[in-house]
Amino acid sequence: MSIYTYEELKRYNQVLLISGIIVVAFNLRAALTSVGPLVGIIRETLALPNWSIGILTSLPLFAFALMSPIAPKLGVKYSKEVVMIAGMIILCLGLLLRSVPFVPLLFGGTILLGIGIAVANVLLPGVIKERFPNRVPLMTSVYATAMGLFAALASGVSIPIAEGAGLGWQIALGIWVVPALAAIAIWVYFVKQRTSANKVRMHYVYASNTKMWRSPLAWQVAIFMGLQAFLYNVMITWLPDILFDYGVNKETAGWMLSFNQFIGLPASLLAPIIAGKFKSQQGMVIVLSLLFFLGFAGLLVGDSYQLMVASVIIMGIGSGGIFPLALAFLGMRAKDGQEAAELSGMAQAVGYFLAAVGPILMGYLVDATGSWTYPLITLLIVSILTLIVGLGAGRNRVVSDDFAVESTN
């Protein structure tokens, strides 16, 4: 029987923990980005209007908003690992139900997978903050890049699985239960193998402090997170349909969305690291917001293939960097762990509720106008608002500075 030293066990558990974090991250976007290329097929198969497709892609975001204050409390009561496993189980159930060609199960399964993702979405940054306190920017880059990698893969293979392989949209959506099952297996194994020396309890603080909701900086961070998520979720939902209407075939449109996300992976990896090297991130906000603006402007100006490819690339770099930057703000705009937890709870609750409006609004505008002109103009306006709010969120301040000003008045 092999006998391991404490240091060997510690290194083993750390490698296992990093693997568990990465595999959980694989599941945080794939279930969402796999839908975009298939919306036309789903709409035709189930005779759904565009606005209902918008609701379908927004339901997980509403679940994120509702679960953000609840997941940390569950993590304290039952342990982060156990709740993470429960979230992945709920995600698996949601994926399977969503794959049934019956409208109530399609929407019900979508709600469940949103709940499952939300649980992991909230707890994973806490795990990183607890286990890697001196490497938060690096680990944020790792898990954000892992999210982006599988998000891109899911977008690209949806049409080939559904139509190329002839398996239908049900299998194309349901296949993402595989990485969810892998995450469950790793975390169950990790829970069983961890030693008493590694049992560190994480004490979460929820967004119940009313001062946080009175902080202008906290609102700027929350709204910045929401607006960039608004743009991203509209993009992954409707970009394939926009490209298809411009004459691109369905499979190519799906792969262009996939390419859009692959091209953003370097930005996902580098953005938190670069942000940590500067006291103010306003310059990064300007660059990344303008990339979104230019990408949507390119789609509005013309429908040539070259312009579409350029727009897809520009938006990919912008979206790849701006989401990790929003995540980094949750820690950088707080003075300590307690304040970061309160800011995180508020920002995710407000931000994802705002983000959920995006796909529904775009679907409604397309139904009402019959073209992509007004939806794209709306996205240009939202891009500008993202820049304006981001300039406030990117300042070299922490939310407690607002409290200090409040106490002196």
Side-chain angles (χ1 to χ4, degrees):
M1 181 176 67
S2 299
I3 299 176
Y4 297 96
T5 65
Y6 170 75
E7 288 300 321
E8 288 173 332
L9 285 172
K10 185 177 179 180
R11 285 195 298 270
Y12 172 78
N13 281 339
Q14 189 170 58
V15 170
L16 190 62
L17 176 62
I18 293 172
S19 300
I21 288 172
I22 291 172
V23 177
V24 168
F26 286 161
N27 291 278
L28 299 184
R29 277 189 175 174
L32 309 179
T33 59
S34 59
V35 177
L38 299 170
V39 292
I41 301 173
I42 296 172
R43 181 179 56 223
E44 292 170 7
T45 302
L46 301 177
L48 297 172
N50 281 315
W51 63 264
S52 67
I53 292 293
I55 291 177
L56 180 68
T57 54
S58 292
L59 282 175
L61 303 177
F62 285 121
F64 293 173
L66 294 174
M67 287 299 297
S68 291
I70 299 172
K73 185 175 181 179
L74 295 174
V76 169
K77 186 174 182 179
Y78 299 106
S79 89
K80 299 176 300 300
E81 296 85 356
V82 170
V83 176
M84 192 88 75
I85 292 168
M88 290 295 101
I89 292 173
I90 294 171
L91 171 60
C92 288
L93 180 60
L95 287 166
L96 294 175
L97 291 178
R98 187 181 65 170
S99 300
V100 178
F102 180 53
V103 173
L105 292 182
L106 175 70
F107 284 89
T110 299
I111 293 172
L112 286 178
L113 70 87
I115 292 172
I117 294 174
V119 168
N121 209 37
V122 172
L123 293 181
L124 197 56
V127 171
I128 290 173
K129 190 174 183 66
E130 173 192 351
R131 303 289 182 171
F132 303 96
N134 299 320
R135 294 189 176 126
V136 171
L138 176 61
M139 289 305 298
T140 300
S141 297
V142 168
Y143 100 82
T145 303
M147 289 171 61
L149 177 63
F150 259 59
L153 180 63
S155 297
V157 302
S158 288
I159 293 297
I161 291 173
E163 295 192 336
L167 298 177
W169 63 265
Q170 298 92 333
I171 299 297
L173 293 182
I175 197 171
W176 300 106
V177 73
V178 175
L181 291 172
I184 293 170
I186 292 176
W187 279 94
V188 167
Y189 186 72
F190 179 73
V191 169
K192 289 183 177 180
Q193 292 297 319
R194 65 182 178 174
T195 63
S196 59
N198 290 326
K199 291 182 180 179
V200 181
R201 190 171 182 81
M202 180 73 173
H203 296 282
Y204 289 92
V205 181
Y206 334 118
S208 58
N209 189 332
T210 57
K211 280 188 176 182
M212 187 63 64
W213 295 83
R214 296 199 303 271
S215 164
L217 180 57
W219 276 102
Q220 287 164 348
V221 171
I223 294 172
F224 177 74
M225 172 168 278
L227 290 177
Q228 64 82 27
F230 181 109
L231 295 171
Y232 175 80
N233 284 283
V234 168
M235 184 181 69
I236 65 171
T237 302
W238 294 115
L239 181 59
D241 253 24
I242 294 173
L243 299 176
F244 180 68
D245 285 354
Y246 283 178
V248 177
N249 65 57
K250 291 181 180 179
E251 184 170 349
T252 302
W255 277 114
M256 287 181 73
L257 176 59
S258 181
F259 175 68
N260 162 272
Q261 292 165 86
F262 273 120
I263 202 72
L265 290 179
S268 295
L269 183 64
L270 294 174
I273 298 174
I274 295 173
K277 295 183 180 298
F278 297 95
K279 292 183 178 180
S280 170
Q281 292 73 42
Q282 290 178 318
M284 294 183 68
V285 167
I286 293 172
V287 171
L288 295 172
S289 299
L290 285 178
L291 288 174
F292 252 135
F293 181 91
L294 292 173
F296 288 123
L299 292 178
L300 178 63
V301 169
D303 56 1
S304 71
Y305 187 77
Q306 293 79 6
L307 190 57
M308 283 188 284
V309 171
S311 298
V312 165
I313 292 173
I314 292 170
M315 286 189 295
I317 297 171
S319 64
I322 203 166
F323 173 65
L325 180 63
L327 288 178
F329 281 167
L330 299 179
M332 300 178 76
R333 299 287 84 94
K335 69 175 182 179
D336 53 34
Q338 175 176 331
E339 195 165 273
E342 293 175 352
L343 178 59
S344 178
M346 173 191 173
Q348 294 199 51
V350 173
Y352 282 118
F353 183 83
L354 179 60
V357 175
I360 299 174
L361 177 60
M362 294 304 104
Y364 174 78
L365 288 175
V366 172
D367 283 339
T369 65
S371 76
W372 291 104
T373 300
Y374 288 102
L376 288 170
I377 290 174
T378 302
L379 293 172
L380 293 178
I381 295 171
V382 174
S383 300
I384 295 172
L385 293 175
T386 303
L387 190 155
I388 294 171
V389 175
L391 289 176
R395 291 174 298 162
N396 181 25
R397 290 174 56 86
V398 294
V399 292
S400 56
D401 292 340
D402 292 337
F403 305 156
V405 171
E406 183 181 88
S407 63
T408 59
N409 291 335

